[in-house]
Every structure is written in C-alpha cells, then in structure tokens.
C-alpha cells in the first residue's frame, strides 16, 4: 500500500508541479526534481506525516529498479540518434568533441583541486582530487534528453549534443578507471595495469558487443509481428532484458568483467534503428509509453538529493571549487573542440552549457571512490554538485537551446506544437 501511495504521489505531484514550473518558464524536469526533494526523507517525507512521501533513504533506494529501467530506456532512445545518415555528417565532429571536452574538463578540475590540496593538505588528498577530476567528465544524459523532448528541440546543436552525451559515457568510464587506478596506487604504493587499462576496455567492449547482439536480435524477433502493440511490447521486453543483463558481473582469468548499462542500451538502440526500416515509428511509440516512467525517475532522483551535506563547510568549499572548475572545463573544452572541428559559432558558444547536468553515472563513480582513504569527501562533493547541477542544469540547457534558435520561445501556443522537424540535415 505504501509503495503504491508513494508512486502515485510521485507521478501526480510531479505533473502538478510541472504546471507551476511552466508559469515560471522552467523545464518540467526541474519540477520533477523539486517534487522529489519535497517528498524525500530530507524534507517533508522525513516528518512521517500519514506515511506520505519517502520517510527514509532506504525507501527511496528500494525503488532503484525503476531508475535503472528508466536509464535503460533513456540510453535506448539516445542510441536512436546514431543513424548512419547522421554519423556521415557529424560523426567525426561528435567523437572529437566528445573526447576532448571530457579530457579538458578532467585536467582543469585536477589542477584546481590539486591546488587546493597544496594550499591546505587537510582539506583533500591528491588521490581524491584526481578521482574527482575524472568524475567531472561525466554528463547526465537523462536531463538533457528530457529538455530536448519536452520542447521538441531540433537543429545542429541538438543533434551534436545528443551524440556527444552518448559518447561521454564511454570516455568518462576510461578516464575514471585510469584516474582511480592511479589514486589507489598513490595510497598503496603499487599500480595495477589490470584495473587502470584492461578492465575498463573489457567493460566497454563487452557492453558494445552485448548491445549490438541485442539490437540485431530485437530486429529479428520484431519481424515475426505486424501488430503495432505487439511490436511495442517486444521492444519494451528487450530493453528490460538488456537492463537486466547489464547488471551482471563475473571474473575470467582474474579479470573483472562487467557491463555499462548506458552503453549496452545505447548500442541496442543504435543497431536496431540502423537495420530496421520501421524503427522510427516504433521509437515514437516507445517514447509515449515511457513518459510516466521518466517522471518517476526524476522524482526519485530528487528524493535522493541529500540536503544534510549543506551543513558541512569543507564539502561546500571543495564543492564550489569543483563546480566552478568543471563548468569552466565543459565550456572551454566544448568551445575549443568545436572550433577545431569547424562547428558553427552558435554551437561553439552554447554546447558547453548544455553539457553541465550531472547525476547517475557520477554517483556510481563516487560510490566506487569511497574505497579511498577520504572517499567520503569525494562522495559528498559529488552529491553536492549533483544537487546544484540537477536543479540548475535543465534550465541552462533550455536557455542555450533557445539562444541557438533550436527551441521556439513559448507564448500563447506550446513550443511542443510550434517546433516542427526542420529541413534535411546539413553539415555543421
């Protein structure tokens, strides 16, 4: 009973809050996050009023399966952007920008936090500083996708943004594994090439292979059905299957083998959309089915935001340095890499701002980083940055897309009705 009431409140409360957000010109995703924050254990939920809301963090974490499934569908949808026609026009640019902006962000955050260490070694260790630098590279695809979908954003910036966000997961995984391996080596005095280089490459390879096979198998199975509803059901079943399989991990010859949920589901969507001639229509139907799932995902994400970390001055100080240096890194990295690949001025100016949201992937990395001597500081700083970025990031993304001319400003008519697909794709 309690779970059903909580889910009902999350859905209805989030949607009602989105009406208020619209009046304030805020994206719906911000309204969902604020709803979760209010219903969460660190706000109204902690008051234990008639069992309304989430009374404890454990109640929120017990619904993690919903968040995992939602991330799977988000990744599957983003994979649909990797169509061959699109990759021919901007594949090189997306890969270059995706790699360089992540590397530049990591370097700038490393420099800023290592400087903090030398100024006051008691605040943060070098191992934690370089680990946070790698975590800074990660970008949350969920908030970005929701803003794009809500306002039907379309254009060169939007298309490049979705590709870069997808590539960012693989780049971030490699950077984190390498940095965390170095951090562990600094604390233990020994370095392992297995954890620094081999295991992240194995994880990426296994994820891409599993996703490619799932995408091909989905196409083969879909061919046996002609009913739209049955094809939709098969697609949903396959995404659930890939989410489940991506949670598996095992050891082979001493090598830890695992999967990245985002990479597996993205690759499934990519292969499926490129070999299936009816994939576009099917993806539109999947988008409609997942709407309430995404509302729950963001409300639960908001409920996880821990307000208690705001009482720790050390976390706030390091968090502010982290947020400023990461934001600068994303902007400078995106601007310079876009200039290098000859993107338009609008893309150079606005892409970096749209890459600021940070959430699930970064939190997963922070959980791993807790193995460090002061790993709790790393986790707290990431929690603080997620609190800031998730509440502010969607609005900044929306404004950047409006400034780039890829979202029409809402007036008397909804922007979702005004924005229609533009002319055939042109080179950036």
């Amino acid at each position: 009973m309690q779970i059903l009431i909580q889910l009902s409140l999350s859905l209805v409360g989030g949607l009602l809050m989105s009406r208020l957000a619209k009046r304030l010109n805020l994206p719906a995703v911000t309204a969902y996050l604020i709803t979760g924050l209010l219903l969460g254990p660190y706000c109204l939920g902690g008051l234990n009023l008639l069992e309304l809301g989430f009374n404890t963090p454990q109640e929120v974490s017990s619904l993690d399966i919903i968040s995992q499934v939602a991330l799977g569908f988000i990744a599957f949808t983003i994979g649909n952007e990797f169509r061959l026609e699109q990759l021919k026009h901007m594949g090189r640019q997306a890969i270059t920008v995706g790699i360089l902006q992540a590397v530049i962000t990591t370097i700038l955050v490393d420099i800023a936090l290592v400087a903090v260490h030398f100024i006051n070694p008691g605040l943060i260790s070098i191992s934690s500083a370089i680990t946070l630098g790698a975590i800074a590279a990660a970008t949350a695809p969920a908030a970005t996708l929701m803003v794009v979908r809500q306002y039907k954003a379309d254009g060169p910036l939007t298309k490049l943004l979705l590709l870069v966000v997808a590539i960012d997961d693989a780049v971030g995984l490699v950077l984190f594994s390498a940095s965390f391996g170095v951090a562990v080596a600094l604390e233990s005095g020994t370095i392992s090439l297995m954890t620094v280089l081999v295991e992240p490459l194995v994880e990426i390879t296994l994820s891409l292979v599993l996703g490619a096979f799932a995408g091909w198998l989905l196409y083969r199975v879909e061919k046996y059905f002609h009913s739209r509803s049955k094809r939709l059901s098969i697609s949903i079943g396959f995404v659930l299957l890939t989410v489940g399989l991506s949670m598996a991990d095992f050891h082979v010859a001493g090598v830890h083998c695992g999967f990245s949920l985002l990479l597996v589901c993205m690759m499934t969507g990519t292969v499926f959309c490129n070999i299936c001639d009816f994939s576009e229509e099917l993806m539109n139907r999947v988008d409609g089915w997942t709407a309430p799932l995404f509302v729950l995902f963001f409300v639960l994400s908001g409920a996880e935001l821990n307000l208690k970390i705001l009482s720790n001055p050390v976390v706030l100080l390091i968090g502010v340095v982290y947020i400023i240096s990461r934001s600068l890194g994303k902007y400078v990295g995106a601007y310079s890499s876009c200039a290098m690949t000859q993107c338009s001025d609008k893309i150079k100016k606005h892409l970096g701002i749209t890459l600021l949201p940070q959430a699930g992937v970064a939190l997963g990395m922070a959980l791993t980083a807790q193995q460090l001597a002061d790993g709790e500081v790393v986790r707290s700083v990431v929690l603080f940055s997620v609190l800031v970025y998730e509440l502010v990031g969607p609005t900044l993304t929306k404004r950047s897309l409006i400034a780039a001319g890829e979202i029409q400003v809402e007036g008397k008519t909804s922007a979702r009705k005004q924005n229609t697909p533009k002319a055939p794709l042109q080179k950036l």
Side-chain angles (χ1 to χ4, degrees):
M1 181 184 72
Q2 185 178 4
I3 291 176
L4 291 176
I5 291 174
Q6 289 169 341
L7 293 179
S8 173
L9 280 174
S10 298
L11 272 174
V12 177
L15 292 171
L16 289 176
M17 185 69 77
S18 70
R19 304 308 299 170
L20 175 61
K22 185 175 181 180
R23 291 181 177 273
L24 299 175
N25 254 345
L26 295 174
V29 61
T30 303
Y32 304 149
L33 289 164
I34 292 174
T35 301
L37 195 61
L38 293 174
L39 293 175
Y42 304 104
C43 201
L44 299 179
L47 299 177
N48 293 311
L49 296 176
L50 301 176
E51 298 297 326
L52 298 179
F54 302 96
N55 305 139
T56 65
Q58 289 72 30
E59 289 184 9
V60 182
S61 60
S62 67
L63 298 173
D64 273 352
I65 187 63
I66 293 177
S67 298
Q68 296 297 313
V69 170
L71 278 175
F73 279 101
I74 288 167
F76 183 69
T77 302
I78 291 178
N80 189 49
E81 299 298 321
F82 283 84
R83 293 181 179 270
L84 290 178
E85 179 189 356
Q86 221 160 279
L87 292 176
K88 289 177 184 176
H89 287 89
M90 60 180 71
R92 182 179 64 86
Q93 291 171 323
I95 293 172
T96 303
V97 174
I99 294 174
L100 286 183
Q101 58 84 22
V103 172
I104 291 172
T105 300
T106 295
I107 292 172
L108 287 183
V109 175
D110 279 346
I111 291 172
L113 293 179
V114 169
V116 171
H117 167 78
F118 282 115
I119 293 171
N120 188 341
L123 290 177
I124 188 171
S125 66
I126 291 183
S127 58
S128 292
I130 63 175
T131 300
L132 277 169
I135 294 174
T139 300
T144 301
L145 180 64
M146 284 295 288
V147 172
V148 169
R149 284 178 55 175
Q150 179 184 355
Y151 299 103
K152 299 294 184 210
D154 188 34
L157 173 59
T158 301
K159 288 175 170 45
L160 181 62
L161 169 62
L162 292 175
L163 292 176
V164 170
V165 165
I167 293 168
D168 197 70
D169 185 49
V171 179
L173 176 63
V174 173
L175 288 173
F176 175 75
S177 298
S179 296
F180 183 65
V182 172
V184 171
L186 288 174
E187 292 191 349
S188 65
T190 59
I191 188 167
S192 169
L193 288 178
M194 187 70 71
T195 56
V196 173
L197 185 62
V198 176
E199 290 185 354
L201 293 179
V202 167
E203 181 171 332
I204 292 173
T205 303
L206 288 177
S207 299
L208 295 179
V209 170
L210 175 59
F213 177 72
W216 173 82
L217 190 59
L218 171 59
Y219 167 66
R220 300 296 299 178
V221 173
E222 292 276 14
K223 290 178 67 176
Y224 290 103
F225 299 90
H226 302 286
S227 163
R228 291 180 177 179
S229 59
K230 289 179 180 177
R231 282 179 169 175
L232 174 63
S233 299
I234 291 294
S235 301
I236 293 170
F238 261 80
V239 175
L240 294 176
L241 176 64
T242 53
V243 170
L245 292 176
S246 66
M247 295 178 180
D249 61 349
F250 50 92
H251 288 80
V252 176
V255 179
H256 175 263
C257 302
F259 301 93
S260 164
L261 183 151
L262 290 176
L263 282 181
V264 172
C265 294
M266 266 189 255
M267 194 62 179
T268 302
T270 299
V271 171
F272 178 68
C273 77
N274 279 291
I275 63 177
C276 179
D277 54 1
F278 53 84
S279 63
E280 197 154 357
E281 178 194 355
L282 191 55
M283 292 299 294
N284 289 333
R285 294 177 65 82
V286 170
D287 287 347
W289 184 86
T290 55
L293 181 64
F294 289 169
V295 175
L296 287 176
F297 170 75
F298 285 104
V299 172
L300 291 174
S301 297
E304 288 180 328
L305 297 178
N306 188 347
L307 298 179
K308 289 183 178 180
I309 58 175
L310 299 178
S311 62
N312 189 333
V314 173
V315 170
L316 292 180
L317 174 62
I318 299 174
V320 168
V321 174
Y322 173 85
I323 290 171
I324 293 174
S325 56
R326 179 181 181 270
S327 302
L328 182 64
K330 286 292 180 183
Y331 187 83
V332 172
Y335 190 96
S336 57
S337 56
C338 285
M340 186 183 302
T341 54
Q342 300 180 334
C343 292
S344 67
D345 289 338
K346 284 185 178 179
I347 293 178
K348 285 190 291 187
K349 184 177 179 181
H350 299 292
L351 180 63
I353 302 297
T354 63
L355 295 173
L356 292 181
Q358 189 174 46
V361 177
L363 290 173
M365 293 176 176
L367 192 62
T368 302
Q370 283 189 285
Q371 301 172 34
L372 298 174
D374 55 348
E376 192 58 40
V377 173
V378 174
R379 182 174 179 274
S380 298
V381 169
V382 173
L383 284 170
F384 173 62
S385 71
V386 166
L387 175 63
V388 174
Y389 280 127
E390 283 295 271
L391 294 177
V392 177
T395 301
L396 294 178
T397 298
K398 175 191 173 184
R399 291 186 177 181
S400 293
L401 292 173
I402 289 175
E406 301 191 6
I407 291 178
Q408 294 184 29
V409 181
E410 287 187 309
K412 293 182 180 179
T413 333
S414 171
R416 286 170 288 180
K417 294 179 181 178
Q418 290 179 343
N419 291 329
T420 55
K422 299 188 177 180
L425 188 65
Q426 300 176 353
K427 190 168 183 178
L428 302 182

